[in-house]
DNA sequence: TTTTCACTTTAGAATAATTATAAACTAAAA
DNA sequence: TTTTAGTTTATAATTATTCTAAAGTGAAAA
């Protein structure tokens, strides 16, 4: 992913490309593989990576703007912290509760044969499959 | 479910059958259908139902003991509050984000045809399917 | 260029859910 | 009865998150 794409992500999230936001965006989106994180873990990684530290509030604000723009997804994980996912396509997850680690599963690698009808007046928005792991 | 079963649930959770605990246990387990709740919602319902109010800490402690004993399950729901489920069998959920309501799906009503292998050294503990609803 | 002005960053305060604490209470056992 | 282990409760502490308000930034108007 090129710098121009980072700027696109920021613009499409109604965010001016400030130093802090570009740093966050590059950290999140300039990578080959999907990245799952909490605000806390992201903050720690940004502190290690970069010289200047970014205020927590800025990280929260930026992550939420990316989420609102559809550049990040929120994933439900047991526990109190909110997890985010740079993979915004329809997909599923392994969850390793030992390490609190999420691993992507391609949507095509799960085939559901039978599913109940949505209740009265409701429609199905999407189906999420979680595969919990043990050792 | 009879009183004797309530006492069994308490005993098997290493809980003495105090007035408060029996009241919580009866409220949770003496019902036909599955009950999904947060500690906050349970507290409100108990206040309405009963004359004496039970301290929040007691509700937290009791619910956690039931969970540890396997009489309650924790369900992952978007948001900050923890959801519990009186249905501890293997099953799935519809989730209506409009109303924050969970609806049980019997395990037999979902058939998965294809699933990826667990990663290196790990095994599959269980598979949870969430069907998100819209109007 | 200087000024303006909308947008940003940030430290710290506020909030909300949960957990810990410690004193008063209860009930089973001795 | 007395003892003892366990329990309830109000309140404090903790943790994740959101809010606030003051100081900073930079593009564009004057
Ligand atoms: Mn969660
Ligand atoms: Mn949750
Ligand atoms: Zn993912
Ligand atoms: Zn359920």
């Amino acid at each position: 992913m090129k710098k121009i794409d980072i700027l696109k992500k920021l613009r499409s999230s109604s965010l001016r490309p400030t130093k802090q936001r570009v740093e966050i965006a590059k950290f999140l989106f300039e990578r080959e593989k999907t990245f799952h994180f909490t605000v806390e873990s992201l903050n720690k990684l940004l502190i290690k990576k970069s010289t200047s530290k970014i205020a927590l509030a800025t990280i929260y604000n930026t992550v939420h703007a990316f989420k609102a723009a559809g550049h990040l997804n929120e994933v439900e994980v047991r526990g109190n912290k909110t997890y985010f996912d740079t993979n915004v396509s329809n997909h599923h997850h392994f969850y390793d509760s030992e390490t609190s680690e999420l691993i992507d599963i391609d949507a095509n690698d799960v085939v559901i044969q039978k599913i109940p009808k949505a209740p009265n007046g409701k429609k199905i928005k999407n189906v999420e499959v979680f595969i919990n792991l043990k050792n």
Side-chain angles (χ1 to χ4, degrees), chain A:
Chain A
M1 184 173 288
K2 304 289 169 39
K3 190 163 212 169
I4 186 70
D5 293 328
I6 292 295
L7 296 184
K8 248 185 220 159
K9 290 227 194 278
L10 287 166
R11 268 190 250 106
S12 59
S13 310
S14 312
L15 295 178
R16 284 188 189 173
T18 64
K19 183 163 68 72
Q20 291 88 339
R21 287 168 177 169
V22 169
E23 204 166 327
I24 294 170
K26 290 173 87 171
F27 189 83
L28 290 178
F29 301 121
E30 282 186 346
R31 50 177 76 226
E32 294 305 315
K33 292 169 72 181
T34 287
F35 181 47
H36 301 99
F37 64 96
T38 66
V39 168
E40 191 200 19
S41 72
L42 175 58
N43 183 227
K44 276 183 188 160
L45 291 168
L46 283 171
I47 286 171
K48 272 200 282 185
K49 201 77 158 190
S50 120
T51 47
S52 57
K53 96 163 202 328
I54 302 172
L56 249 198
T58 300
I59 299 177
Y60 271 104
N61 290 339
T62 306
V63 163
H64 283 151
F66 283 145
K67 185 192 161 191
H71 298 312
L72 288 176
N73 261 170
E74 193 181 323
V75 187
E76 260 329 304
V77 174
R78 211 140 310 207
N80 16 271
K81 281 178 238 168
T82 304
Y83 278 73
F84 296 92
D85 191 342
T86 58
N87 184 348
V88 294
S89 74
N90 182 36
H91 69 288
H92 308 288
H93 291 101
F94 284 117
Y95 181 63
D96 186 343
S97 59
E98 307 283 326
T99 61
S100 299
E101 198 190 358
L102 287 165
I103 301 168
D104 276 358
I105 299 171
D106 194 276
N108 299 324
D109 290 344
V110 174
V111 177
I112 297 173
Q113 194 172 48
K114 182 185 174 194
I115 216 166
K117 279 191 263 306
N120 238 344
K122 302 281 175 180
K123 287 184 171 174
I124 290 175
K125 184 162 54 180
N126 73 318
V127 178
E128 284 183 84
V129 176
F130 273 84
I131 305 182
N132 292 106
L133 298 175
K134 62 183 175 187
N135 289 332

